[in-house]
Amino acid sequence: MANDLRYVSQQIENLLVARNLRGMQLLQQQLRPGYILRVARLLNQCRGTVLIGTGFPVLDTFETDGPVGAIALYQLLEQLGAKPILVSGDPLCKVLASRYRTYQIRVNQQQNLPVIASQALAELQPQLIISIERPGFTSDGRYANMRGEDITERCASFDHFVSLAACPTIGIGDGGNEIGMGNMAAFLGQLNITPAVTECDELVVADVSNWAAWGIIAMVSVLQGRDLLAGADPLAILQFLSDNGSVDGVTRLNTLTEDGLAHTEGEQLISDLQKLLMTYQK
């Protein structure tokens, strides 16, 4: 059974980087196989508070990649009996707070960050922390987007929530400038990116960060013996975000897309994951 689980995990890991849009296959080759299974087990056994940090600023708003996956993981964790909390800065936090439990971190708050994070961790007492498509500190303590532009003044900082946590931490990214990518520091120089240095316990890479969430949910489905992807509706989440001012991180347009890709691409991945589940269950 353990070997079967590792096999399914590696199949999912391969699916998530199949298109290799931004070089994530390079990083996947350096990760210890089975990371999707290890992450799924962390979520599957958690019944306490889980902090999910997300939100990448684009212009004066936020991008669709990250929040979709964060909401999908939030919904999964609620189903499992945990207490997820979405952590972000405004304007995204205000949007999310209309539907979900949230914890706001201040944009352009660059002083006393370790103290702020320590106080929040003491208050919230998380059993698990997930960062999905959140900017990670560069080597000089700034934040940079995929174009290499300094976006520090529009960022809220989640790095110390991860680095100071007493619980397991998960980082999800698709480019090399996200929290958790510090685990891959030796290889990030091969990517066209200003790399992040913040590390995590388990790193998940994907062609689109949102897609990693669907891969994790598929693996939890295997552990649970039920299809938790059956109700997956990325378009509905995208519509909610778009109605509240999101933009595509690549095109910078308010469209129902993720990193320049049609929403149907994400739906196709979910379909492929479900086919994998059916094969495993047989």
Side-chain angles (χ1 to χ4, degrees):
M1 178 67 172
N3 286 337
D4 288 347
L5 289 175
R6 281 194 290 270
Y7 173 76
V8 176
S9 183
Q10 288 181 46
Q11 293 290 102
I12 293 172
E13 290 156 25
N14 292 339
L15 261 180
L16 292 179
V17 296
R19 298 180 62 155
N20 201 32
L21 300 171
R22 293 173 65 195
M24 291 302 100
Q25 283 182 15
L26 168 71
L27 301 190
Q28 186 212 12
Q29 291 161 13
Q30 318 305 327
L31 290 168
R32 183 164 63 93
Y35 51 89
I36 285 288
L37 173 58
R38 296 192 297 273
V39 165
R41 281 176 165 155
L42 287 172
L43 271 70
N44 192 48
Q45 67 195 20
C46 188
R47 296 296 178 269
T49 297
V50 182
L51 303 185
I52 308 173
T54 195
F56 213 109
V58 178
L59 303 176
D60 59 353
T61 186
F62 55 91
E63 71 163 300
T64 52
D65 190 27
V68 173
I71 289 169
L73 292 173
Y74 182 108
Q75 292 170 339
L76 168 73
L77 286 159
E78 281 212 315
Q79 278 186 273
L80 297 175
K83 181 189 175 186
I85 299 173
L86 296 170
V87 183
S88 62
D90 278 341
L92 175 59
C93 191
K94 194 173 293 181
V95 172
L96 296 175
S98 68
R99 288 191 178 182
Y100 309 102
R101 278 184 299 273
T102 56
Y103 185 90
Q104 183 180 351
I105 45 180
R106 285 179 56 192
V107 172
N108 199 22
Q109 169 77 60
Q110 295 166 42
Q111 306 299 320
N112 305 316
L113 292 175
V115 173
I116 291 168
S118 294
Q119 290 173 342
L121 292 169
E123 174 192 340
L124 299 170
Q125 293 287 309
Q127 288 186 8
L128 183 63
I129 293 180
I130 303 168
S131 176
I132 175 166
E133 190 67 17
R134 266 225 68 92
F137 279 138
T138 59
S139 58
D140 59 356
R142 307 289 289 178
Y143 292 111
N145 63 17
M146 66 170 67
R147 297 168 172 82
E149 298 164 345
D150 189 312
I151 55 171
T152 309
E153 290 184 2
R154 289 181 280 118
C155 268
S157 182
F158 191 61
D159 298 70
H160 288 99
F161 281 74
V162 175
S163 58
L164 297 176
C167 62
T169 59
I170 298 163
I172 298 170
D174 61 15
N177 58 342
E178 303 92 359
I179 286 175
M181 288 293 180
N183 292 24
M184 295 282 103
F187 309 98
L188 294 177
Q190 299 175 59
L191 302 175
N192 182 26
I193 200 80
T194 304
V197 299
T198 305
E199 301 178 3
C200 63
D201 293 325
E202 289 287 356
L203 176 64
V204 178
V205 295
D207 289 330
V208 177
S209 291
N210 284 339
W211 296 0
W214 305 122
I216 292 165
I217 294 168
M219 194 73 238
V220 175
S221 297
V222 174
L223 297 177
Q224 287 271 323
R226 55 186 174 133
D227 182 4
L228 294 163
L229 286 171
D233 193 350
L235 179 57
I237 304 174
L238 278 168
Q239 189 68 62
F240 163 64
L241 296 170
S242 177
D243 289 346
N244 287 280
S246 66
V247 295
D248 183 294
V250 172
T251 67
R252 298 184 168 186
L253 299 173
N254 183 318
T255 52
L256 301 177
T257 56
E258 307 164 291
D259 282 355
L261 302 173
H263 68 85
T264 50
E265 301 281 348
E267 291 169 347
Q268 182 59 53
L269 174 78
I270 292 169
S271 177
D272 292 342
L273 288 166
Q274 287 180 301
K275 286 174 189 168
L276 185 61
L277 293 182
M278 287 193 299
T279 302
Y280 176 79
Q281 287 160 353
K282 287 177 183 175

PDB file of all heavy atoms in Angstrom, residues 43 85 181 203 227 249:
ATOM      1  N   LEU A  43      -2.163  17.561   5.906  1.00  0.00           N
ATOM      2  CA  LEU A  43      -3.513  18.122   5.880  1.00  0.00           C
ATOM      3  C   LEU A  43      -4.531  17.121   6.408  1.00  0.00           C
ATOM      4  O   LEU A  43      -5.443  17.494   7.162  1.00  0.00           O
ATOM      5  CB  LEU A  43      -3.900  18.545   4.454  1.00  0.00           C
ATOM      6  CG  LEU A  43      -3.535  19.971   4.037  1.00  0.00           C
ATOM      7  CD1 LEU A  43      -2.027  20.131   3.876  1.00  0.00           C
ATOM      8  CD2 LEU A  43      -4.243  20.363   2.751  1.00  0.00           C
ATOM      9  N   ILE A  85      -7.706  29.458   8.144  1.00  0.00           N
ATOM     10  CA  ILE A  85      -7.792  30.920   8.153  1.00  0.00           C
ATOM     11  C   ILE A  85      -6.939  31.430   7.005  1.00  0.00           C
ATOM     12  O   ILE A  85      -5.768  31.063   6.870  1.00  0.00           O
ATOM     13  CB  ILE A  85      -7.266  31.510   9.482  1.00  0.00           C
ATOM     14  CG1 ILE A  85      -8.091  31.007  10.672  1.00  0.00           C
ATOM     15  CG2 ILE A  85      -7.276  33.040   9.437  1.00  0.00           C
ATOM     16  CD1 ILE A  85      -7.538  31.409  12.033  1.00  0.00           C
ATOM     17  N   MET A 181      10.725  28.723  -1.703  1.00  0.00           N
ATOM     18  CA  MET A 181      11.698  28.451  -2.758  1.00  0.00           C
ATOM     19  C   MET A 181      13.140  28.532  -2.260  1.00  0.00           C
ATOM     20  O   MET A 181      14.068  28.110  -2.969  1.00  0.00           O
ATOM     21  CB  MET A 181      11.492  29.412  -3.933  1.00  0.00           C
ATOM     22  CG  MET A 181      10.247  29.115  -4.744  1.00  0.00           C
ATOM     23  SD  MET A 181      10.375  27.526  -5.625  1.00  0.00           S
ATOM     24  CE  MET A 181       8.776  27.500  -6.464  1.00  0.00           C
ATOM     25  N   LEU A 203       8.120  21.693   0.170  1.00  0.00           N
ATOM     26  CA  LEU A 203       7.881  22.547  -0.990  1.00  0.00           C
ATOM     27  C   LEU A 203       7.139  21.771  -2.073  1.00  0.00           C
ATOM     28  O   LEU A 203       7.481  20.617  -2.357  1.00  0.00           O
ATOM     29  CB  LEU A 203       9.213  23.047  -1.554  1.00  0.00           C
ATOM     30  CG  LEU A 203       9.156  23.879  -2.843  1.00  0.00           C
ATOM     31  CD1 LEU A 203       8.409  25.197  -2.607  1.00  0.00           C
ATOM     32  CD2 LEU A 203      10.572  24.153  -3.361  1.00  0.00           C
ATOM     33  N   ASP A 227     -13.682  10.787  -3.457  1.00  0.00           N
ATOM     34  CA  ASP A 227     -13.276  11.793  -4.432  1.00  0.00           C
ATOM     35  C   ASP A 227     -13.624  13.188  -3.928  1.00  0.00           C
ATOM     36  O   ASP A 227     -14.751  13.649  -4.080  1.00  0.00           O
ATOM     37  CB  ASP A 227     -13.940  11.524  -5.792  1.00  0.00           C
ATOM     38  CG  ASP A 227     -13.505  12.531  -6.854  1.00  0.00           C
ATOM     39  OD1 ASP A 227     -12.640  13.380  -6.551  1.00  0.00           O
ATOM     40  OD2 ASP A 227     -14.035  12.478  -7.981  1.00  0.00           O
ATOM     41  N   GLY A 249      -2.009  37.421 -13.435  1.00  0.00           N
ATOM     42  CA  GLY A 249      -0.664  37.865 -13.098  1.00  0.00           C
ATOM     43  C   GLY A 249       0.240  38.071 -14.295  1.00  0.00           C
ATOM     44  O   GLY A 249       1.209  38.831 -14.224  1.00  0.00           O
TER      45      GLY A 249
END
